[in-house]
Amino acid sequence: MEFKHQATVTLAEVAQAAGVGESTVSRVLRNHGSFSGRTRERVMAAVERLGYVPNRIAGTLASTGSRLVAFVIPSLSNIVFSDVLRGAGAVLEENRYQAVFSVTDYDAGKEEALATAMLAWRPAAVMLAGYEHTEGTAKMLRASGCRVVELLDLDGDALDIAVGFSNRAAGRESAAFLLRRGYRRIGYVGHDLDRDTRAGKRFLSFCETLEANGTPLIAQEILADASSVENGKQGLERLLARATGLDAVYFSNDDMALGGYFHCLAQGIAIPSQLAIFGYNGLDIGRAIPQPLSTIRTPRVATGQIAAELVVANAPPQAIDLGFELIEGATA
């Protein structure tokens, strides 16, 4: 896909599109001074159509360039994103860039609001998780004039730079591994797949792989709340209560899988002879339990590091596939 970097939309362009003067646009955006309701509607329509972002520090960076890199991430309770920030932070600090971040709680509307706030400071780059954004977010990012880096996914079309791996491939490989091990009655425990679109991609390709091999998913338990060890425990308990004879369960991530593991320990369910457990992410704690977790290990720190290096180098638009590693572990 060819990418053409767009110039920043200016106040003058908004004024021209709305058919008013620049001072009128400024008054409307600051909500200060005199203007009619009709004028406000015309200005805001032009702002939305062009993807204009007000510049909070106009003129201060014109000669030096911004050293700010903004991260708009889904969660800080999930160590995945902490690892990404850790990898990126070391590179940015070494090159005298300043990282700032905001948290969306997997809410696309909140991501748009936070991206708007971040872009108002004219950062050198904005880094976000995945490809799925609202139309408004995507429009603003394209019109912002700054670099855009999408992280932890390669299943889609990048706005500028993408660094990560294929979640669909991870789902396929997880299913293929369980099938190779002889499991045929497989269930799933996960969290909100509409909000966590990357988990949704893994789940979809996991189910497609099972279907293609004549062993469709037996049952699933998807909790509305965010992923956690406790939700993994509760989810497996609910799943086993209504789906008998399962021989393996695939979890949306390692947090949930560890909860399932602890449920099995508490209930005397032998792992993996009675029930196999498979996760995703390859967290350190998964290697520390008595039976190391079978999972997919993702290059989270490297994702942040390489993304930051590309921003510092002002690299051309590209997608970097870092792949992932299947960890056989001892729970499947």
Side-chain angles (χ1 to χ4, degrees):
M1 182 188 70
E2 183 180 357
F3 176 88
K4 293 183 178 179
H5 199 67
Q6 296 187 13
T8 303
V9 176
T10 65
L11 190 75
E13 290 173 313
V14 174
Q16 182 178 13
V20 298
E22 292 182 41
S23 60
T24 300
V25 174
S26 179
R27 288 198 302 274
V28 170
L29 294 178
R30 289 185 291 112
N31 196 28
H32 180 74
S34 61
F35 51 86
S36 68
R38 176 61 178 163
T39 296
R40 183 184 186 282
E41 290 176 1
R42 287 162 56 192
V43 169
M44 296 311 296
V47 166
E48 182 177 355
R49 185 168 67 254
L50 297 175
Y52 175 74
V53 179
N55 189 352
R56 305 300 185 198
I57 46 177
T60 62
L61 300 175
S63 61
T64 61
S66 175
R67 310 294 289 183
L68 190 71
V69 175
F71 291 81
V72 183
I73 59 175
S75 171
L76 277 180
S77 62
N78 189 329
I79 196 172
V80 168
F81 302 106
S82 300
D83 283 347
V84 171
L85 289 174
R86 179 159 56 90
V91 174
L92 295 175
E93 182 178 0
E94 181 181 351
N95 289 276
R96 297 186 177 181
Y97 282 78
Q98 178 65 51
V100 295
F101 64 87
S102 56
V103 180
T104 70
D105 297 317
Y106 291 96
D107 184 320
K110 190 173 180 180
E111 180 187 69
E112 180 173 343
L114 291 171
T116 301
M118 291 292 192
L119 287 170
W121 294 99
R122 294 295 189 265
V126 177
M127 299 198 189
L128 312 93
Y131 290 145
E132 285 67 42
H133 318 293
T134 66
E135 182 179 348
T137 300
K139 183 182 292 185
M140 281 191 300
L141 292 171
R142 292 191 185 99
S144 67
C146 74
R147 303 311 302 269
V148 178
V149 186
E150 292 161 301
L151 306 167
L152 302 172
D153 198 7
L154 290 181
D155 300 309
D157 295 324
L159 293 171
D160 183 0
I161 293 173
V163 182
F165 38 83
S166 169
N167 283 272
R168 294 189 185 278
R172 287 194 297 270
E173 184 55 34
S174 300
F177 172 78
L178 292 176
L179 292 172
R180 288 196 302 269
R181 289 298 174 96
Y183 300 108
R184 294 297 181 268
R185 292 187 57 80
I186 302 172
Y188 176 82
V189 174
H191 56 288
D192 191 339
L193 300 179
D194 291 330
R195 292 162 71 93
D196 187 345
T197 56
R198 289 168 300 287
K201 291 176 181 180
R202 295 193 298 273
F203 176 60
L204 179 61
S205 62
F206 182 87
C207 292
E208 289 173 346
T209 303
L210 294 185
E211 289 274 1
N213 285 273
T215 57
L217 192 76
I218 298 298
Q220 65 190 55
E221 184 68 34
I222 298 177
L223 292 86
D225 297 332
S227 68
S228 68
V229 173
E230 180 61 27
N231 279 341
K233 181 176 182 295
Q234 292 181 7
L236 182 59
E237 182 178 10
R238 295 177 190 175
L239 183 70
L240 295 180
R242 59 183 176 79
T244 60
L246 293 179
D247 56 17
V249 176
Y250 176 49
F251 289 81
S252 59
N253 59 34
D254 283 2
D255 288 343
M256 303 285 278
L258 286 168
Y261 177 83
F262 294 141
H263 174 73
C264 290
L265 291 183
Q267 297 301 314
I269 301 172
I271 301 173
S273 58
Q274 287 182 275
L275 186 70
I277 288 177
F278 195 89
Y280 173 82
N281 272 327
L283 302 184
D284 291 344
I285 191 173
R287 298 196 298 270
I289 59 178
Q291 293 169 273
L293 188 64
S294 302
T295 187
I296 294 282
R297 181 183 296 159
T298 57
R300 301 175 299 278
V301 174
T303 295
Q305 177 183 345
I306 292 172
E309 289 173 349
L310 293 173
V311 167
V312 169
N314 195 26
Q318 58 191 288
I320 304 294
D321 188 351
L322 300 181
F324 52 79
E325 180 184 4
L326 192 144
I327 306 299
E328 293 190 359
T331 60

